[in-house]
Amino acid sequence: MVNVTFQQEPVTLVGNEVKVGDKAPEFRVLSNDLQEVSLDDYKGKVKLISVVPSIDTGVCADQTKRFNEEAEAIGNVQVLTISMDLPFAQKRWVTQHHINKLEILSDHRDAQFGQNYGVLIQELRLLARAIFVVDSNDKVTYVEYVSEVSNHPDYDAALEAARKAN
């Protein structure tokens, strides 16, 4: 069981903890143009999934910008950022911040990603900060559930895991 806090207060994560070696759970989320996207859309690709509570907050914005900057350097890896933000807000943010090397996806509709990856914060209906690296065979090779939602993830470890999964 993963223990996570939000502003130093314990929160309840809904769903099952994902562990290294697991088959990546399926998910359905929305793209910024309201199209349904699933894990199958990235079949055969290494995926670095960056999970953030809200793209419009400081740490989430920094995390997304960092992975956008690093995306080319880690090779043939599809970088995804997933949050509960509405697709319209995500699209505005992407345009405003010139994000062009990763996809930002919304789990707002039914929180399926959050539940399937064990990152849905019950008390807030936001996603806990986490990183998942999934290889081209959809096997999970790296997991980080950030213990305090307002903290940064271990970027270097996540990027190295993505390189190794490639």
Side-chain angles (χ1 to χ4, degrees):
M1 181 166 147
V2 178
N3 292 317
V4 170
T5 58
F6 181 80
Q7 298 177 339
Q8 313 319 301
E9 294 294 323
V11 293
T12 307
L13 297 184
V14 177
N16 297 317
E17 178 182 354
V18 173
K19 296 180 179 159
V20 170
D22 288 353
K23 178 170 177 20
E26 184 54 60
F27 61 82
R28 283 185 324 277
V29 292
L30 293 178
S31 68
N32 295 168
D33 59 359
L34 302 177
Q35 298 303 305
E36 191 170 273
V37 176
S38 73
L39 182 66
D40 281 345
D41 290 317
Y42 306 100
K43 199 161 224 38
K45 295 182 180 180
V46 173
K47 293 144 298 272
L48 187 154
I49 304 172
S50 172
V51 185
V52 299
S54 178
I55 198 69
D56 258 334
T57 60
V59 176
C60 299
D62 290 348
Q63 181 173 329
T64 303
K65 290 174 187 175
R66 171 79 185 266
F67 285 126
N68 187 65
E69 291 165 8
E70 300 277 2
E72 283 182 325
I74 55 176
N76 189 29
V77 175
Q78 177 65 59
V79 181
L80 308 173
T81 293
I82 300 179
S83 75
M84 292 293 273
D85 296 299
L86 292 175
F88 313 109
Q90 291 177 335
K91 186 173 187 174
R92 175 194 50 76
W93 191 90
V94 162
T95 302
Q96 182 180 3
H97 295 278
H98 311 289
I99 302 299
N100 56 7
K101 295 178 179 61
L102 58 79
E103 291 183 42
I104 298 184
L105 303 167
S106 175
D107 196 30
H108 89 95
R109 187 171 56 187
D110 58 13
Q112 185 193 57
F113 176 88
Q115 293 176 53
N116 290 357
Y117 283 73
V119 292
L120 180 62
I121 301 173
Q122 180 176 319
E123 295 85 350
L124 302 172
R125 201 173 189 279
L126 293 173
L127 302 180
R129 189 174 316 283
I131 306 289
F132 303 95
V133 175
V134 178
D135 72 12
S136 59
N137 296 311
D138 290 342
K139 181 177 151 191
V140 178
T141 62
Y142 177 84
V143 174
E144 179 187 7
Y145 289 90
V146 180
S147 60
E148 166 54 48
V149 173
S150 62
N151 290 346
H152 287 271
D154 186 339
Y155 297 109
D156 294 335
L159 292 164
E160 183 59 27
R163 280 186 202 93
K164 286 182 178 175
N166 205 348

